[in-house]
Amino acid sequence: MTFNSIQYFVLLGVVVALYWQLRHRAQNTLLLLASYVFYGAWDWRFLSLIWASTLLDHTIGRRLEVTDGERARKALLWVSVTVNLSLLGVFKYFGFFSDGLESLLNGLGVGWAAPTVDIVLPVGISFYTFQTISYTFDVYRRAIPATRNLADFALYVAFFPQLVAGPIERAAHFLPQITAARPRPTREQLHSALGLLALGLFKKVVVADTLAITVDQAFGNPAGQSSLNLLFGVYAFAFQIYADFSAYSDLARGSARLLGFDLLENFRQPYLSPNIQVFWRTWHISLSNWLRDYLYVPLGGNRAGAVRTSVNLALVMVLGGLWHGASWNFVIWGAIHGALLMAHRAFGGRAATPTEVPALRDLPRVVLTFHAVCFAWIFFRADTFGGAVDYLQGLATGGLGQVNLVEHLWLGVAMIAIDVLQRRRREVFFLDWAPHWRGVAFGAAAVGVLVFSGAPAVEFVYFQF
Amino acid sequence: MVAHAQRILTVTHDEPDDEAAARPRRPRLRFGLALVGTVVAAELLARVLGPFLPPPNAGLPAELDRQLERIEARREPIDTFIVGASELAVGVDPAALADGSDAVGAAHTVWLAGIGADTIGALARDVVLEREEPARLIVGLTSREANGADLFRAGRDGALLGSPAYRAMSGELGALDRLERAASQVSALVRDRDRLRRPLEIARHVVRNGTAEVPMLEIDEYGMHTDRLDIDRYAESPAHLEQERQAMAGYRLDVDALAELEVVLAAAQADGVEVVLVQLPVYERHYLALQPGLTERDAAFVTATEQLAERAGIRYLDARGELDWDDPTLWADVNHLNGNGTARLTDWLVDRLDAA
């Protein structure tokens, strides 16, 4: 059940209609049931993984709160981290590491064949695993109290609008919203929720799924394309993945807002960034912040000298890449971003908080940053390392030749226009407009979704992570 | 007293505070009218643009409809169905096959241009085996139908198999499909949305004063593809050669597509249908030169199809290996036979079927 399906909107409509008839505790029970139905629609078997993770971290959280000895507390933390990462390791990385071990041993002359195990990747496991780990960490650090109510914690782990592709919530931000009674949304909140849903559907159905056609053509057969076609193919992917993932976040946040919840912001117009550091402050913010707080800072962050800071940056970005998938391509993607961040620091770059549309004088830096990000996207999108190399080779040597992958690129321009409007005003920018212009915006989104939704449905890119 | 009250009321109405003045009147009504107006305007625009829209992207569903009409129009019972892509449809003459062969009573070709092996399997299952009662099923392949790197082909095939028309034909039409069909009767936005999705192409068609006519391939009453029987038409066309070259670029044997075809053929054979898999000829000296390294990959395809037939327990006929096809007078282009070539392949197939 994806967010761009009729089934999801039926589920959401039924849940919202029932939800506001109920008292607080019953609301939470309804949401928990709906979340398990939502997740079970993919595969009921994997609910057991969510339940295992929920029970483990709830129990460890309670124990951490009543345990004083530092060694015992650390041991509890490590149990949580080890079990959660083991689940992730088995379901997501088993093949990757066993193949790597096989290559290594064979290279050393030790004949060993990796066992062939066909493991299905449970949807959203990377997201909810990180969310439960962050809870245990925060309880360990006594940043938050452990939650006593198992049902509340279960909802924190499984809340359906953000279960399968984030934003990765923090207990300090989200648990209080679960435990306290939620006021009915104001008219302004309701409008912004509907606006986010409209914006998300537009980005997914009109922009991302249409650009996917161009991307598949370019990356599916780079040998048969001209350099210009391959360049347009990378641009198309840059906007496809941005539209796709930010659409998911918009739909998640819009759905949650209808239920009185506020989810973390995940994107803040990343392609308007004048440098790579700002890009990472505005792209997949909930993951960037997670990696910063639970990996980069514990490793020493930037407090232990320039060399150690660079090592920390590289390590965090490589692991961030690996989080996306069990493939060397994601590792390389992370390493490229790590290298870009190190270079940015080495040249004394600073990251200002992005609040305004870049001025004309910043445009060259914005364009340069965008192209650096696009270069890394080639490794992210290509199926194999060889595929990425073929793509780069084609870019360099394919000649100007035939140009037929330009047709959908106007959608990238549309995404930039949306970003500029959001940066100038606010996230759901059209809510500031006069009622009739707001009506035109909603009408245009409806027409766009109607016209573009006839093509075969495409899953959200980030579901695979 | 009354006069005083009236004066207060009048003043209140005539001199509203600044905030109230700034607030638009009847915002919900204005919002609703604008929303509905935008949708209606888009619908009208779609109707006005109708004659200028480019041909439908999803041409295969329309082509399939025509194939089904041809089968419906045949009054006699058809015992032999020939299923494949254009190479088979132009390569075997079903009327000549029926006339020449003692084993074949009436033959008919079911095909779609440029489809892959998995879609050929789907057509064999959904158009022939599920709807008809054939005694024999002849499927023909070249390596072009099993290029896993040809995403253009995969996209077209996916659009066909996922289309409401296909689901209606295979009896899988859902409630949403029915709703969409009903909506397409009244709304141009729904009906023409495949074509409305391409604004740049629409602009090009408007500028060139294009029409919405859909070019259809020529098919005779037996379903045979007939418009490539003229050798001069494609042989000297650089655009056509480029199209064939693109289709073979980055060749990767699509083992999944072949596996899907194998499942269908094995099931048909188990159900008592005589299944024949034909390795179709290609004009090797030009075909294998379409892309570097194609010779080895094409050989791997031939081996894979032989193994497929063996595993599925079906009859395998190697038209490509048994006869010499290195003769320009047999070919319309690098992989489609012309009239001479079609007669040669059909005669050979008659001999093989009757010899069984």
Side-chain angles (χ1 to χ4, degrees), chain A residues 98-177:
Chain A
S98 62
D99 289 350
L101 187 64
E102 183 183 293
S103 302
L104 181 71
L105 290 176
N106 289 339
L108 294 172
V110 181
W112 181 73
T116 308
V117 185
D118 195 12
I119 298 176
V120 179
L121 177 67
V123 175
I125 190 170
S126 308
F127 289 90
Y128 70 73
T129 301
F130 268 35
Q131 197 157 303
T132 52
I133 289 175
S134 78
Y135 166 79
T136 313
F137 249 105
D138 288 351
V139 174
Y140 168 76
R141 294 194 295 208
R142 297 201 188 281
I144 56 164
T147 181
R148 290 170 182 274
N149 189 313
L150 178 61
D152 284 353
F153 184 70
L155 184 56
Y156 164 74
V157 178
F159 184 56
F160 72 89
Q162 50 86 236
L163 172 59
V164 292
I168 302 168
E169 275 296 328
R170 298 298 188 80
H173 177 253
F174 196 51
L175 264 174
Q177 298 183 55

Side-chain angles (χ1 to χ4, degrees), chain B residues 5 10 18 21 28 37 43 47 51 56 64 78 118 120 129 145 165 173 196 202 206 233 253 264 285 288 294 305:
Chain B
T10 310
D18 290 348
R28 282 184 191 172
E43 172 68 27
R47 285 169 190 242
L64 179 63
I78 303 166
D118 46 350
I120 291 171
L129 299 167
E145 282 85 71
L173 208 60
L196 288 165
I202 293 170
V206 171
R233 193 161 165 192
L253 185 63
V264 175
R285 79 168 58 211
L288 296 177
L294 194 54
T305 47

